[in-house]
Amino acid sequence: MQLTTSLGASATHLSRKHRALVALYTLDASQQPREEILRLNNVSEADVAEHEEEWLRLRCRNQLLT
């Protein structure tokens, strides 16, 4: 499961928050290097850290729904 797009984050209209969430899901599901995932989603470590708590809530919620 790969959530990054082949077009790259710069070709999308996603907000920084949504790019960070996509990066977090990709980091969780991927064997790609962390730096590459952050680069492809055009986010920093600070962006990922800022939205990690929300990502954890979303993961928990999605697991409860399945």
Side-chain angles (χ1 to χ4, degrees):
M1 177 169 139
Q2 186 173 351
L3 298 176
T4 54
T5 66
S6 60
L7 297 174
S10 62
T12 68
H13 292 76
L14 295 177
S15 68
R16 182 177 53 87
K17 171 186 169 180
H18 288 109
R19 292 191 319 269
L21 292 171
V22 168
L24 284 161
Y25 276 105
T26 306
L27 286 166
D28 187 51
S30 178
Q31 297 285 331
Q32 288 179 276
R34 183 178 186 90
E35 298 80 19
E36 179 72 3
I37 292 170
L38 297 182
R39 185 187 66 76
L40 288 172
N41 288 286
N42 193 25
V43 293
S44 67
E45 289 288 350
D47 297 330
V48 169
E50 179 181 347
H51 298 290
E52 188 170 13
E53 189 175 317
E54 181 174 0
W55 172 72
L56 289 169
R57 282 193 311 269
L58 288 168
R59 279 189 64 211
C60 182
R61 180 175 172 248
N62 286 341
Q63 289 175 352
L64 292 174
L65 295 174
T66 58

